[in-house]
Tab-separated table of all heavy atoms in Angstrom:
chain	number	residue	atom	x	y	z
B	1203	ALA	N	14.061	-5.172	11.133
B	1203	ALA	CA	12.899	-4.367	11.466
B	1203	ALA	C	11.729	-5.220	11.963
B	1203	ALA	O	10.716	-4.663	12.409
B	1203	ALA	CB	12.443	-3.580	10.228
B	1204	PHE	N	11.876	-6.548	11.921
B	1204	PHE	CA	10.800	-7.440	12.329
B	1204	PHE	C	11.206	-8.167	13.593
B	1204	PHE	O	12.297	-8.726	13.702
B	1204	PHE	CB	10.480	-8.414	11.205
B	1204	PHE	CG	9.926	-7.713	9.995
B	1204	PHE	CD1	10.771	-7.195	9.027
B	1204	PHE	CD2	8.565	-7.492	9.863
B	1204	PHE	CE1	10.288	-6.489	7.926
B	1204	PHE	CE2	8.063	-6.786	8.781
B	1204	PHE	CZ	8.911	-6.292	7.811
B	1205	LEU	N	10.318	-8.115	14.600
B	1205	LEU	CA	10.633	-8.495	15.943
B	1205	LEU	C	9.783	-9.680	16.445
B	1205	LEU	O	8.672	-9.879	15.969
B	1205	LEU	CB	10.432	-7.305	16.887
B	1205	LEU	CG	11.026	-5.956	16.429
B	1205	LEU	CD1	10.567	-4.858	17.373
B	1205	LEU	CD2	12.530	-6.048	16.383
B	1206	GLY	N	10.343	-10.407	17.405
B	1206	GLY	CA	9.554	-11.422	18.078
B	1206	GLY	C	9.794	-12.842	17.613
B	1206	GLY	O	9.042	-13.749	17.999
B	1207	ALA	N	10.778	-13.050	16.751
B	1207	ALA	CA	11.093	-14.405	16.265
B	1207	ALA	C	12.615	-14.560	16.270
B	1207	ALA	O	13.356	-13.584	16.181
B	1207	ALA	CB	10.523	-14.649	14.881
B	1208	ASP	N	13.059	-15.800	16.379
B	1208	ASP	CA	14.470	-16.072	16.342
B	1208	ASP	C	15.035	-15.631	14.977
B	1208	ASP	O	14.474	-15.963	13.941
B	1208	ASP	CB	14.716	-17.580	16.503
B	1208	ASP	CG	16.167	-17.950	16.442
B	1208	ASP	OD1	16.833	-17.831	17.497
B	1208	ASP	OD2	16.641	-18.307	15.353
B	1209	PRO	N	16.124	-14.855	14.967
B	1209	PRO	CA	16.658	-14.354	13.691
B	1209	PRO	C	16.993	-15.440	12.691
B	1209	PRO	O	16.858	-15.242	11.484
B	1209	PRO	CB	17.922	-13.580	14.125
B	1209	PRO	CG	17.653	-13.188	15.547
B	1209	PRO	CD	16.838	-14.318	16.106
B	1210	THR	N	17.422	-16.589	13.192
B	1210	THR	CA	17.728	-17.705	12.281
B	1210	THR	C	16.475	-18.194	11.577
B	1210	THR	O	16.480	-18.487	10.382
B	1210	THR	CB	18.371	-18.857	13.058
B	1210	THR	OG1	19.574	-18.401	13.693
B	1210	THR	CG2	18.721	-20.009	12.134
B	1211	GLN	N	15.353	-18.239	12.324
B	1211	GLN	CA	14.101	-18.662	11.711
B	1211	GLN	C	13.615	-17.642	10.708
B	1211	GLN	O	13.114	-18.000	9.632
B	1211	GLN	CB	13.043	-18.906	12.776
B	1211	GLN	CG	11.744	-19.468	12.223
B	1211	GLN	CD	10.695	-19.687	13.283
B	1211	GLN	OE1	10.669	-18.998	14.287
B	1211	GLN	NE2	9.802	-20.654	13.048
B	1212	VAL	N	13.740	-16.347	11.054
B	1212	VAL	CA	13.341	-15.295	10.119
B	1212	VAL	C	14.153	-15.436	8.838
B	1212	VAL	O	13.581	-15.372	7.711
B	1212	VAL	CB	13.566	-13.904	10.757
B	1212	VAL	CG1	13.448	-12.815	9.702
B	1212	VAL	CG2	12.567	-13.692	11.887
B	1213	LYS	N	15.440	-15.627	8.945
B	1213	LYS	CA	16.299	-15.783	7.789
B	1213	LYS	C	15.883	-16.972	6.933
B	1213	LYS	O	15.875	-16.902	5.707
B	1213	LYS	CB	17.754	-15.938	8.245
B	1213	LYS	CG	18.767	-15.924	7.100
B	1213	LYS	CD	20.186	-15.978	7.657
B	1213	LYS	CE	21.217	-15.960	6.539
B	1213	LYS	NZ	22.611	-15.988	7.053
B	1214	GLN	N	15.476	-18.055	7.596
B	1214	GLN	CA	15.063	-19.247	6.856
B	1214	GLN	C	13.743	-19.022	6.122
B	1214	GLN	O	13.565	-19.439	4.972
B	1214	GLN	CB	14.935	-20.433	7.800
B	1214	GLN	CG	14.699	-21.781	7.088
B	1214	GLN	CD	15.805	-22.127	6.119
B	1214	GLN	OE1	16.959	-22.195	6.495
B	1214	GLN	NE2	15.444	-22.360	4.852
B	1215	ILE	N	12.776	-18.340	6.776
B	1215	ILE	CA	11.501	-18.051	6.130
B	1215	ILE	C	11.751	-17.230	4.870
B	1215	ILE	O	11.180	-17.476	3.808
B	1215	ILE	CB	10.567	-17.336	7.083
B	1215	ILE	CG1	10.123	-18.252	8.233
B	1215	ILE	CG2	9.303	-16.838	6.352
B	1215	ILE	CD1	9.382	-17.535	9.351
B	1216	LEU	N	12.594	-16.227	5.006
B	1216	LEU	CA	12.889	-15.377	3.855
B	1216	LEU	C	13.610	-16.160	2.765
B	1216	LEU	O	13.291	-16.019	1.561
B	1216	LEU	CB	13.763	-14.189	4.291
B	1216	LEU	CG	13.080	-13.169	5.221
B	1216	LEU	CD1	14.092	-12.172	5.731
B	1216	LEU	CD2	11.958	-12.470	4.496
B	1217	ALA	N	14.578	-16.989	3.130
B	1217	ALA	CA	15.329	-17.790	2.157
B	1217	ALA	C	14.399	-18.732	1.412
B	1217	ALA	O	14.546	-18.946	0.187
B	1217	ALA	CB	16.447	-18.561	2.849
B	1218	ASN	N	13.410	-19.298	2.105
B	1218	ASN	CA	12.474	-20.209	1.453
B	1218	ASN	C	11.640	-19.501	0.384
B	1218	ASN	O	11.113	-20.122	-0.523
B	1218	ASN	CB	11.520	-20.835	2.491
B	1218	ASN	CG	12.254	-21.818	3.387
B	1218	ASN	OD1	13.363	-22.279	3.100
B	1218	ASN	ND2	11.624	-22.173	4.503
B	1219	ALA	N	11.525	-18.164	0.505
B	1219	ALA	CA	10.799	-17.363	-0.492
B	1219	ALA	C	11.742	-16.703	-1.476
B	1219	ALA	O	11.305	-15.876	-2.279
B	1219	ALA	CB	9.943	-16.318	0.234
B	1220	GLY	N	13.025	-17.065	-1.421
B	1220	GLY	CA	13.992	-16.474	-2.339
B	1220	GLY	C	14.413	-15.097	-1.963
B	1220	GLY	O	14.899	-14.327	-2.815
B	1221	LEU	N	14.261	-14.715	-0.700
B	1221	LEU	CA	14.593	-13.373	-0.228
B	1221	LEU	C	15.798	-13.419	0.690
B	1221	LEU	O	16.029	-14.393	1.395
B	1221	LEU	CB	13.405	-12.743	0.503
B	1221	LEU	CG	12.119	-12.592	-0.285
B	1221	LEU	CD1	10.995	-12.076	0.627
B	1221	LEU	CD2	12.305	-11.613	-1.463
B	1222	GLY	N	16.542	-12.318	0.706
B	1222	GLY	CA	17.620	-12.169	1.650
B	1222	GLY	C	17.168	-11.281	2.787
B	1222	GLY	O	15.982	-11.024	3.003
B	1223	GLU	N	18.125	-10.741	3.542
B	1223	GLU	CA	17.812	-9.916	4.708
B	1223	GLU	C	17.503	-8.480	4.323
B	1223	GLU	O	16.968	-7.724	5.141
B	1223	GLU	CB	18.890	-10.006	5.736
B	1223	GLU	CG	19.017	-11.380	6.368
B	1223	GLU	CD	19.881	-11.389	7.609
B	1223	GLU	OE1	19.635	-10.549	8.517
B	1223	GLU	OE2	20.807	-12.212	7.675
B	1224	SER	N	17.846	-8.071	3.114
B	1224	SER	CA	17.474	-6.742	2.625
B	1224	SER	C	16.052	-6.817	2.053
B	1224	SER	O	15.763	-7.657	1.195
B	1224	SER	CB	18.444	-6.285	1.555
B	1224	SER	OG	18.057	-5.064	0.995
B	1225	LEU	N	15.182	-5.941	2.541
B	1225	LEU	CA	13.759	-6.034	2.189
B	1225	LEU	C	13.237	-4.669	1.738
B	1225	LEU	O	12.532	-3.968	2.494
B	1225	LEU	CB	12.942	-6.543	3.403
B	1225	LEU	CG	13.335	-7.897	3.951
B	1225	LEU	CD1	12.613	-8.176	5.263
B	1225	LEU	CD2	13.045	-9.000	2.937
B	1226	PRO	N	13.532	-4.244	0.524
B	1226	PRO	CA	12.942	-3.014	0.017
B	1226	PRO	C	11.418	-3.133	0.075
B	1226	PRO	O	10.843	-4.073	-0.456
B	1226	PRO	CB	13.453	-2.927	-1.435
B	1226	PRO	CG	14.663	-3.799	-1.455
B	1226	PRO	CD	14.383	-4.887	-0.483
B	1227	THR	N	10.785	-2.155	0.721
B	1227	THR	CA	9.357	-2.283	1.051
B	1227	THR	C	8.549	-1.172	0.415
B	1227	THR	O	8.793	-0.003	0.672
B	1227	THR	CB	9.197	-2.276	2.579
B	1227	THR	OG1	9.929	-3.381	3.130
B	1227	THR	CG2	7.740	-2.364	2.972
B	1228	SER	N	7.577	-1.567	-0.391
B	1228	SER	CA	6.730	-0.605	-1.103
B	1228	SER	C	5.947	0.283	-0.123
B	1228	SER	O	5.585	-0.156	0.986
B	1228	SER	CB	5.722	-1.332	-1.996
B	1228	SER	OG	6.345	-2.030	-3.012
B	1229	VAL	N	5.675	1.483	-0.573
B	1229	VAL	CA	4.706	2.352	0.128
B	1229	VAL	C	3.639	2.701	-0.927
B	1229	VAL	O	3.922	3.372	-1.900
B	1229	VAL	CB	5.379	3.611	0.693
B	1229	VAL	CG1	4.323	4.534	1.272
B	1229	VAL	CG2	6.414	3.241	1.711
B	1230	ASN	N	2.438	2.180	-0.700
B	1230	ASN	CA	1.354	2.309	-1.673
B	1230	ASN	C	0.216	3.169	-1.142
B	1230	ASN	O	-0.112	3.104	0.034
B	1230	ASN	CB	0.777	0.910	-2.004
B	1230	ASN	CG	1.852	-0.100	-2.405
B	1230	ASN	OD1	2.814	0.245	-3.074
B	1230	ASN	ND2	1.663	-1.329	-1.984
B	1231	ALA	N	-0.351	3.953	-2.004
B	1231	ALA	CA	-1.604	4.655	-1.743
B	1231	ALA	C	-2.630	4.146	-2.761
B	1231	ALA	O	-2.268	3.439	-3.715
B	1231	ALA	CB	-1.415	6.162	-1.853
B	1232	PHE	N	-3.890	4.510	-2.575
B	1232	PHE	CA	-4.918	3.941	-3.440
B	1232	PHE	C	-5.993	4.989	-3.732
B	1232	PHE	O	-6.461	5.687	-2.817
B	1232	PHE	CB	-5.587	2.731	-2.795
B	1232	PHE	CG	-4.622	1.617	-2.511
B	1232	PHE	CD1	-3.940	1.567	-1.305
B	1232	PHE	CD2	-4.338	0.644	-3.473
B	1232	PHE	CE1	-3.021	0.565	-1.053
B	1232	PHE	CE2	-3.417	-0.346	-3.231
B	1232	PHE	CZ	-2.761	-0.416	-1.995
B	1233	VAL	N	-6.365	5.103	-4.995
B	1233	VAL	CA	-7.487	5.929	-5.384
B	1233	VAL	C	-8.707	5.020	-5.531
B	1233	VAL	O	-8.649	3.972	-6.164
B	1233	VAL	CB	-7.231	6.664	-6.710
B	1233	VAL	CG1	-8.470	7.417	-7.159
B	1233	VAL	CG2	-6.040	7.599	-6.576
B	1234	VAL	N	-9.796	5.431	-4.899
B	1234	VAL	CA	-11.060	4.667	-4.978
B	1234	VAL	C	-12.090	5.568	-5.661
B	1234	VAL	O	-12.494	6.587	-5.114
B	1234	VAL	CB	-11.539	4.237	-3.594
B	1234	VAL	CG1	-12.862	3.478	-3.702
B	1234	VAL	CG2	-10.495	3.367	-2.900
B	1235	ASN	N	-12.481	5.174	-6.869
B	1235	ASN	CA	-13.412	5.969	-7.674
B	1235	ASN	C	-14.749	5.240	-7.734
B	1235	ASN	O	-14.846	4.164	-8.328
B	1235	ASN	CB	-12.846	6.210	-9.079
B	1235	ASN	CG	-13.647	7.199	-9.885
B	1235	ASN	OD1	-14.875	7.240	-9.787
B	1235	ASN	ND2	-12.976	8.004	-10.662
B	1236	THR	N	-15.749	5.835	-7.093
B	1236	THR	CA	-17.077	5.204	-7.052
B	1236	THR	C	-18.035	5.735	-8.097
B	1236	THR	O	-19.218	5.485	-8.051
B	1236	THR	CB	-17.729	5.422	-5.665
B	1236	THR	OG1	-17.987	6.815	-5.506
B	1236	THR	CG2	-16.830	4.936	-4.559
B	1237	ARG	N	-17.505	6.503	-9.056
B	1237	ARG	CA	-18.250	7.251	-10.089
B	1237	ARG	C	-18.802	8.560	-9.494
B	1237	ARG	O	-18.705	9.613	-10.103
B	1237	ARG	CB	-19.381	6.434	-10.716
B	1237	ARG	CG	-18.893	5.197	-11.479
B	1237	ARG	CD	-20.069	4.480	-12.132
B	1237	ARG	NE	-19.682	3.196	-12.655
B	1237	ARG	CZ	-19.184	2.983	-13.882
B	1237	ARG	NH1	-19.001	4.036	-14.691
B	1237	ARG	NH2	-18.898	1.764	-14.301
B	1238	GLU	N	-19.395	8.487	-8.281
B	1238	GLU	CA	-19.925	9.701	-7.652
B	1238	GLU	C	-18.828	10.537	-7.022
B	1238	GLU	O	-18.879	11.766	-7.042
B	1238	GLU	CB	-20.962	9.329	-6.598
B	1238	GLU	CG	-22.278	8.823	-7.133
B	1238	GLU	CD	-22.196	7.371	-7.625
B	1238	GLU	OE1	-21.324	6.623	-7.090
B	1238	GLU	OE2	-22.974	6.984	-8.526
B	1239	ARG	N	-17.832	9.859	-6.418
B	1239	ARG	CA	-16.804	10.589	-5.705
B	1239	ARG	C	-15.453	9.900	-5.903
B	1239	ARG	O	-15.389	8.700	-6.194
B	1239	ARG	CB	-17.113	10.681	-4.189
B	1239	ARG	CG	-18.398	11.376	-3.855
B	1239	ARG	CD	-18.464	11.750	-2.369
B	1239	ARG	NE	-17.816	13.009	-2.094
B	1239	ARG	CZ	-17.364	13.383	-0.881
B	1239	ARG	NH1	-17.511	12.570	0.158
B	1239	ARG	NH2	-16.807	14.556	-0.708
B	1240	THR	N	-14.373	10.691	-5.693
B	1240	THR	CA	-13.023	10.157	-5.797
B	1240	THR	C	-12.346	10.242	-4.426
B	1240	THR	O	-12.247	11.343	-3.843
B	1240	THR	CB	-12.198	10.955	-6.839
B	1240	THR	OG1	-12.818	10.854	-8.091
B	1240	THR	CG2	-10.796	10.424	-6.929
B	1241	TYR	N	-11.913	9.118	-3.913
B	1241	TYR	CA	-11.274	9.042	-2.592
B	1241	TYR	C	-9.813	8.629	-2.783
B	1241	TYR	O	-9.481	7.826	-3.652
B	1241	TYR	CB	-11.957	7.994	-1.710
B	1241	TYR	CG	-13.422	8.243	-1.473
B	1241	TYR	CD1	-14.398	7.761	-2.377
B	1241	TYR	CD2	-13.863	8.974	-0.368
B	1241	TYR	CE1	-15.727	8.002	-2.171
B	1241	TYR	CE2	-15.212	9.192	-0.145
B	1241	TYR	CZ	-16.123	8.716	-1.053
B	1241	TYR	OH	-17.477	8.945	-0.854
B	1242	LEU	N	-8.947	9.177	-1.955
B	1242	LEU	CA	-7.571	8.761	-1.880
B	1242	LEU	C	-7.337	8.128	-0.530
B	1242	LEU	O	-7.592	8.747	0.510
B	1242	LEU	CB	-6.611	9.941	-2.078
B	1242	LEU	CG	-5.112	9.645	-1.984
B	1242	LEU	CD1	-4.695	8.698	-3.101
B	1242	LEU	CD2	-4.300	10.941	-2.041
B	1243	VAL	N	-6.867	6.886	-0.517
B	1243	VAL	CA	-6.597	6.177	0.748
B	1243	VAL	C	-5.090	6.240	1.010
B	1243	VAL	O	-4.291	5.648	0.296
B	1243	VAL	CB	-7.063	4.727	0.673
B	1243	VAL	CG1	-6.856	4.033	2.023
B	1243	VAL	CG2	-8.517	4.637	0.239
Side-chain angles (χ1 to χ4, degrees):
F1204 295 88
L1205 312 173
D1208 180 84
T1210 302
Q1211 185 180 28
V1212 168
K1213 187 175 181 179
Q1214 188 59 56
I1215 293 171
L1216 292 172
N1218 290 345
L1221 300 174
E1223 293 193 51
S1224 175
L1225 301 171
T1227 299
S1228 295
V1229 176
N1230 309 323
F1232 301 89
V1233 175
V1234 179
N1235 190 321
T1236 66
R1237 298 183 190 272
E1238 288 76 27
R1239 300 194 85 200
T1240 299
Y1241 301 87
L1242 178 64
V1243 184

